[in-house]
Amino acid sequence: MWASCRRLRALRHWSYERRETALCALSLLLVCVLSACAFVLPAALLLPLAGLNGLLVIHGLLRRGSIWGVLKLGLVQLSITLSLYLILYGVEHLAQGAVVVTRIILATIPGWWLCITTAPERIGEVLSAFLPTKWAFVVAASLSLLPYMADEIREIYQIQCLRGARITPKALRNPKNWSELVYCVLFPVLIQLLKLSRQMAVAAQCRHFGLAQRPTHWHSPRDKND
């Protein structure tokens, strides 16, 4: 009796894992299709695509995701692109620059939604089905580091502002201060990222990663709690 209960519980767990992996694979396919459509579809079809991306945004917000990063990226990209179009082509081509930025934002939203709704280890498991195991591990590890790196960038930026660096939004209106943003924020972030990459490589090596031909995949308990 006890053995049959354990077998039934194992079958339910296995079916759950297979269902979650299949959903992750479908999510990856959906993200690839939507991101590709953002660049290849004509401008007349961008509005329906924006509606689909709006549904992804709503679902991501319901999963307690934050869209502020995508909005800030869009605003920065919009200001830079429109400025370049204004300098190079004049006022007549500003609409084309706005369309370019719209395509970039529409290509970014599906990836944001995937990071919010899918655990990195699930993505690594799916990618390992048709990619080398090490490549799948790198992609999954990179996705898992995104929230941490966002916090690191925010902390470094705030510390540099307290030190008097001219990198506030008002100061960055002057192009002469852009180089200070590179030295004070981008370079420290790059150094921190290289340090984290080294630590992850050492941790994987200590766990003998890559020696088994068919590695196992650990699933976080948060999959079942979401």
Side-chain angles (χ1 to χ4, degrees):
M1 181 65 182
W2 176 251
S4 61
C5 291
R6 290 185 60 186
R7 188 179 298 109
L8 180 60
R9 190 177 306 166
L11 289 175
R12 290 179 178 175
H13 177 73
W14 174 249
S15 62
Y16 170 82
E17 297 296 341
R18 293 186 62 182
R19 184 175 67 253
E20 292 297 317
T21 303
L23 289 175
C24 178
L26 292 176
S27 299
L28 277 172
L29 180 60
L30 176 64
V31 167
C32 293
V33 171
L34 291 179
S35 297
C37 289
F39 293 107
V40 301
L41 287 180
L45 296 179
L46 290 181
L47 185 58
L49 183 62
L52 293 176
N53 280 268
L55 296 178
L56 297 183
V57 170
I58 294 174
H59 184 244
L61 293 177
L62 292 177
R63 297 291 296 270
R64 299 180 182 179
S66 177
I67 195 64
W68 287 112
V70 178
L71 294 178
K72 291 179 181 178
L73 175 64
L75 291 176
V76 172
Q77 188 67 39
L78 182 64
S79 60
I80 295 175
T81 303
L82 292 184
S83 300
L84 292 176
Y85 267 79
L86 181 62
I87 295 174
L88 298 176
Y89 304 109
V91 183
E92 296 80 5
H93 295 80
L94 287 180
Q96 297 180 5
V99 172
V100 171
V101 176
T102 301
R103 292 183 183 275
I104 295 175
I105 296 176
L106 292 179
T108 305
I109 289 177
W112 167 84
W113 171 79
L114 182 67
C115 294
I116 294 298
T117 59
T118 307
E121 55 269 18
R122 290 282 182 191
I123 299 176
E125 181 180 1
V126 174
L127 292 178
S128 63
F130 53 91
L131 288 179
T133 304
K134 293 183 179 180
W135 291 14
F137 171 76
V138 170
V139 174
S142 300
L143 291 176
S144 64
L145 282 178
L146 286 178
Y148 177 77
M149 289 307 302
D151 294 336
E152 285 292 315
I153 293 174
R154 188 180 301 108
E155 183 177 351
I156 291 174
Y157 176 82
Q158 293 175 352
I159 291 175
Q160 296 290 4
C161 288
L162 292 176
R163 293 180 63 247
R166 293 171 294 180
I167 56 175
T168 59
K170 183 178 180 180
L172 290 178
R173 295 176 184 175
N174 187 357
K176 294 182 180 179
N177 298 329
W178 292 358
S179 59
E180 194 162 351
L181 178 66
V182 175
Y183 292 122
C184 294
V185 178
L186 295 185
F187 281 172
V189 169
L190 179 60
I191 294 173
Q192 185 69 8
L193 184 59
L194 292 174
K195 180 181 178 181
L196 286 173
S197 301
R198 177 61 180 173
Q199 292 176 349
M200 293 183 65
V202 172
Q205 185 178 8
C206 292
R207 289 168 173 80
H208 306 286
F209 176 77
L211 297 181
Q213 295 182 355
R214 299 184 62 182
T216 57
H217 299 276
W218 178 79
H219 298 128
S220 173
R222 64 185 174 183
D223 287 356
K224 300 180 181 180
N225 296 331
D226 289 345

